[in-house]
Amino acid sequence: MLGVSAEQVKIYEAACAEGPGYILVASTPPQVVDCVILDSQAQAARAANPEAPATSPTCTLPGNQDIQGFLKAYATQAGVPCTVDQVKVRGQSGDGAVIYEVGCSGVDGYWIEKNASGWKKTECLQLVSQSNTCEFTTPTEQAATVKSWLAGTDAASCDVQQVRLMGQNANGRFIEMTCAGADGAIIRQNAEHAVQQVYPCATAQQIGGGCKLTTTPPAATPQA
């Protein structure tokens, strides 16, 4: 038992054989909060006011201290295909699921969340296009990810500098990219990230309004 609350309700901490443990408050009804969430709340409170005293119980058992280990395990369970370097609690979705941000070493990161049907992961490239932010992912890492999709395509030689997710339709997903020392392009890829087509910016005016990152004059119309 950790102690009692101000209302004289007993508070317990439990450690689990796998995954994070919990704080249990023997109130009516009982309250249960996992140690990852409590750690996130404590960090947010300290960031807001480093001098403020702790107002919530904290997990102290040795088995509950590896918060980053627990979070990285979530990323593995969610199928994040990268070397994870940072993870944090981001917030909650509209249906109350906890959202975690995952940072990847050298490539695009993700938001992940677990709901009744299992884990869901969303690329930061998509999130940024929807006016969200990813604290652990840089534009350079996103460019590196797009570059990795270009092998074996007409755009394989592009030294990708900037990328922009334009949107998607029934034909696939469209991404604009700029290339160092060369004209930019738009790629169309399928759900498995395979590039289906490359549209040079000079001839891509009809693809989602054309290129915005690259200023390229329209291709000249051949004279009759």
Side-chain angles (χ1 to χ4, degrees):
M1 188 174 77
L2 281 178
V4 295
S5 68
E7 295 78 21
Q8 298 303 302
V9 176
K10 293 180 179 179
I11 302 173
Y12 301 88
E13 179 182 357
C16 302
E18 293 184 6
Y22 298 86
I23 294 291
L24 302 94
V25 181
S27 55
T28 304
Q31 301 175 54
V32 180
V33 184
D34 79 51
C35 292
V36 168
I37 299 300
L38 284 170
D39 180 76
S40 173
Q41 293 171 345
Q43 289 191 46
R46 285 195 297 270
N49 184 357
E51 305 301 323
T55 57
S56 299
T58 58
C59 296
T60 59
L61 292 176
N64 289 332
Q65 300 309 299
D66 187 13
I67 299 299
Q68 275 296 304
F70 298 142
L71 290 168
K72 288 179 179 180
Y74 291 166
T76 299
Q77 294 166 21
V80 172
C82 72
T83 300
V84 175
D85 52 19
Q86 296 181 88
V87 191
K88 73 170 187 175
V89 176
R90 181 79 195 202
Q92 285 189 320
S93 64
D95 59 5
V98 179
I99 298 173
Y100 307 88
E101 180 179 345
V102 179
C104 293
S105 178
V107 293
D108 197 23
Y110 295 83
W111 284 10
I112 61 173
E113 62 181 277
K114 189 175 185 180
N115 51 40
S117 60
W119 284 98
K120 170 188 174 184
K121 64 180 185 292
T122 306
E123 298 164 317
C124 284
L125 185 63
Q126 178 175 330
L127 291 162
V128 169
S129 75
Q130 298 167 339
S131 300
N132 294 301
T133 60
C134 286
E135 180 180 333
F136 301 144
T137 299
T138 67
T140 299
E141 289 176 323
Q142 293 186 326
T145 296
V146 173
K147 172 65 177 178
S148 72
W149 297 332
L150 302 180
T153 73
D154 292 343
S157 63
C158 174
D159 180 6
V160 181
Q161 300 295 297
Q162 295 175 283
V163 297
R164 175 177 71 98
L165 176 59
M166 302 170 65
Q168 64 184 53
N169 58 26
N171 295 319
R173 190 166 74 157
F174 297 82
I175 299 169
E176 180 189 356
M177 60 189 184
T178 63
C179 305
D183 291 339
I186 294 171
I187 60 171
R188 174 172 60 83
Q189 63 177 185
N190 63 16
E192 289 72 41
H193 298 133
V195 175
Q196 306 290 294
Q197 193 163 354
V198 178
Y199 307 88
C201 283
T203 57
Q205 287 79 17
Q206 302 305 312
I207 307 297
C211 294
K212 306 298 184 185
L213 301 176
T214 298
T215 303
T216 304
T221 302
Q223 297 295 318

